[in-house]
Amino acid sequence: MEKLKTRQIISVTLTLFAVFFGAGNMIFPPAMGQLAGTNYLSALVGFILTDAGIALLGIISVVLVGTEISDLGNLVSRRFALFLSVGIYLLIGPLFAIPRTGSVSFELAVMPYVSKQYAWIFSLVITAIFFSLTYYLSSNPNKIIDVIGKYLTPILLLCIITIFVVCLLKGESTEGAIQYGKMSAPKGAYASIPLFQGMLEGYNALDGPAGLVFAIVIINAVSAYGVKEKKNIVKYTIICGIGAATILSIVYYMLTYVGAVTITQFENGGALLHAVTSDLLGSMGGIILGIAVFFACMTTSIGLTTSFADYFHELLPSISYKKITAIVCGFSFIISNVGVTQLVKISMPILMMVYPVTVVLILLSFLKKYIGNRRQIYVLAMLFAFCIAFIDGLEKAGISFGMITSLCHYIPFYELGLGWIVPAILGAVLGLLPFWPMNKECADDSGKENGTYLKEQIEEVGN
């Protein structure tokens, strides 16, 4: 009987946690906690639902239908599988996640110690060093990632736990550069809809889409311990996924609490976390946190860069792995100097468009047995969800379609950022109607080598 030992389950769980725990996981919960104030617990629940919750569902959905993200996309069509894979890799790659690792590294590890007047020069230098190291280490990442994961990730977690405990013991303090005390009144949407605002904030960490890509990591890790039967792989993937999501949730609680009890206002969560650490634990505490964050972000950057380069080299074998890595690092260097705050502002409308489509596909994948070959259900549900999410995302960015945007406000849950739910259900119901053409080709009939499969996808798109 195939069975993992407890220590093996713990090992895989911690590996998955380390893969997910990156720059966004550090900076968004403290900022959310400060804005949510007394409503921080409701906001935290929303954040966990759309971050760790969607990531967990994504992992489970992939392992139930196959082994990788393209297997999930194949439920719709092979062309959509290609589109989904490329889109997700770009999101968690050079468009947002990788540049953010460089920005957070600079703002937490270096920016507090340099003059604001010359901060942009230091930003260019530090991020250039950061992405040069990423490029160099991406050619042989395993050893450095193992070292950082084994030693520096625990140091980072120890810093977070220490900050949380000291904040608990600190109590009310209105003296000094940073003030702590009773939680302030919630600000903005956190006053009226903290749960739903927390859900929108959870989009920013990018763990939801990442779960679809990182599912292969946990599947391979479980298989490496000799688990070969599908039902056992599914079982241990779910167990380890729940474990990683639980650890993430505990860390989010500590970080959110730290933000909630900090009265002094900060521009973003990174600045808050560093300032509070230096204040509570002294300058050495801030330095240790900065170093740990720098290398933790480096690990994330290397992991995302190698995953992206591996995928696109397989997709486009005429372009070398090193060339793709160089392009990713160069592009990420440029984008990272926009700054964390600006990156969040730019990414939020896009994530509001992408997340609903991803969630709809994940949830419908659990009904694969009942949906069968009626792919119109997937297509219409995702299309209807995207249309509303697209309008909502642009509205959040200050772009309106006039009467169309006004009419969308009558859709249930639209004001909560969840206006896509009812249209998605309507689309799925319409997909059940008998007059839609039935595609007899089985969605998961893809017993081909991955490289050949990807080449055929490119040829199909070209045609």
Side-chain angles (χ1 to χ4, degrees):
M1 180 180 177
E2 297 176 340
K3 187 176 181 180
L4 290 185
K5 298 178 181 177
T6 301
R7 61 179 179 81
Q8 293 173 326
I9 294 175
I10 293 174
S11 175
V12 176
T13 298
L14 292 177
T15 298
L16 185 61
F17 167 78
V19 168
F20 277 115
F21 194 74
N25 309 82
M26 285 288 296
I27 63 174
F28 294 118
M32 179 181 70
Q34 186 164 69
L35 291 172
T38 53
N39 286 340
Y40 82 100
L41 283 176
S42 296
L44 175 64
V45 171
F47 186 93
I48 291 172
L49 283 174
T50 53
D51 179 72
I54 294 178
L56 177 60
L57 288 177
I59 291 171
I60 296 172
S61 66
V62 170
V63 75
L64 287 176
V65 301
T67 59
E68 55 188 34
I69 185 174
S70 59
D71 295 319
L72 187 65
N74 279 337
L75 294 175
V76 182
S77 71
R78 296 175 65 186
R79 183 174 296 183
F80 177 78
L82 175 63
F83 176 79
L84 176 68
S85 301
V86 170
I88 296 299
Y89 270 106
L90 286 172
L91 275 178
I92 66 170
L95 289 184
F96 297 120
I98 296 178
R100 196 166 63 193
T101 59
S103 296
V104 172
S105 295
F106 167 70
E107 294 195 10
L108 266 171
V110 179
M111 190 174 178
Y113 306 104
V114 300
S115 169
K116 290 185 177 181
Q117 182 180 356
Y118 301 106
W120 66 274
I121 298 177
F122 283 95
S123 176
L124 288 172
V125 172
I126 296 302
T127 52
I129 293 172
F130 183 90
F131 287 110
S132 295
L133 284 172
T134 297
Y135 172 73
Y136 175 75
L137 295 172
S138 291
S139 60
N140 186 21
N142 292 334
K143 187 173 183 180
I144 186 69
I145 289 178
D146 286 343
V147 171
I148 293 174
K150 187 175 181 180
Y151 297 106
L152 289 175
T153 298
I155 291 175
L156 183 59
L157 290 176
L158 182 60
C159 284
I160 294 171
I161 294 170
T162 303
I163 297 166
F164 171 70
V165 172
V166 174
C167 274
L168 281 177
L169 300 176
K170 180 80 174 178
E172 188 172 350
S173 174
T174 56
E175 299 178 357
I178 300 177
Q179 298 182 355
Y180 310 90
K182 294 181 179 179
M183 297 178 189
S184 59
K187 301 174 180 63
Y190 287 105
S192 54
I193 49 170
L195 173 69
F196 299 103
Q197 187 60 29
M199 291 175 69
L200 294 180
E201 193 67 30
Y203 290 173
N204 280 317
L206 284 169
D207 286 334
L212 302 177
V213 173
F214 292 149
I216 189 66
V217 174
I218 190 170
I219 292 170
N220 287 342
V222 170
S223 299
Y225 283 120
V227 178
K228 302 301 179 185
E229 287 190 28
K230 177 69 175 180
K231 65 177 183 179
N232 291 328
I233 292 176
V234 171
K235 171 186 172 182
Y236 287 114
T237 297
I238 293 174
I239 291 173
C240 295
I242 292 174
T246 301
I247 298 173
L248 277 173
S249 300
I250 294 171
V251 172
Y252 290 153
Y253 169 76
M254 290 189 287
L255 290 171
T256 304
Y257 178 84
V258 170
V261 297
T262 303
I263 299 174
T264 306
Q265 297 296 304
F266 292 90
E267 183 183 17
N268 57 59
L272 184 152
L273 196 59
H274 188 278
V276 169
T277 304
S278 299
D279 184 64
L280 295 177
L281 305 179
S283 58
M284 185 55 65
I287 292 172
I288 292 173
L289 175 69
I291 293 172
V293 167
F294 183 90
F295 283 105
C297 287
M298 177 67 67
T299 306
T300 302
S301 180
I302 293 169
L304 292 175
T305 299
T306 53
S307 296
F308 184 93
D310 282 336
Y311 175 77
F312 278 90
H313 176 58
E314 191 173 11
L315 194 64
L316 304 166
S318 60
I319 305 177
S320 70
Y321 171 87
K322 283 196 171 183
K323 185 176 289 186
I324 296 173
T325 302
I327 293 171
V328 170
C329 291
F331 184 83
S332 299
F333 161 69
I334 295 171
I335 300 299
S336 67
N337 283 281
V338 170
V340 172
T341 303
Q342 287 302 315
L343 276 175
V344 172
K345 288 181 180 179
I346 295 169
S347 64
M348 189 60 191
I350 297 174
L351 294 176
M352 287 184 66
M353 301 174 195
V354 173
Y355 257 81
V357 177
T358 305
V359 172
V360 169
L361 178 60
I362 290 172
L363 293 178
L364 286 178
S365 72
F366 290 101
L367 302 175
K368 174 191 171 187
K369 177 181 177 181
Y370 306 100
I371 293 174
N373 289 328
R374 291 175 291 186
R375 301 181 187 183
Q376 295 86 357
I377 294 175
Y378 298 108
V379 174
L380 292 180
M382 289 190 293
L383 178 62
F384 283 25
F386 176 76
C387 288
I388 303 304
F390 181 78
I391 294 171
D392 192 14
L394 289 182
E395 186 178 8
K396 292 293 191 296
I399 302 172
S400 174
F401 288 103
M403 184 178 292
I404 295 176
T405 301
S406 298
L407 288 174
C408 285
H409 283 267
Y410 291 99
I411 298 175
F413 313 122
Y414 185 85
E415 299 295 341
L416 304 176
L418 299 171
W420 53 270
I421 292 178
V422 172
I425 295 173
L426 177 62
V429 172
L430 288 176
L432 286 169
L433 296 177
F435 56 73
W436 294 107
M438 299 294 289
N439 191 336
K440 299 298 183 181
E441 181 185 355
C442 188
D444 58 357
D445 184 18
S446 56
K448 304 178 181 181
E449 292 297 326
N450 197 39
T452 303
Y453 170 64
L454 291 172
K455 290 177 184 177
E456 290 182 0
Q457 284 183 306
I458 297 173
E459 291 172 1
E460 184 180 350
V461 173
N463 294 330

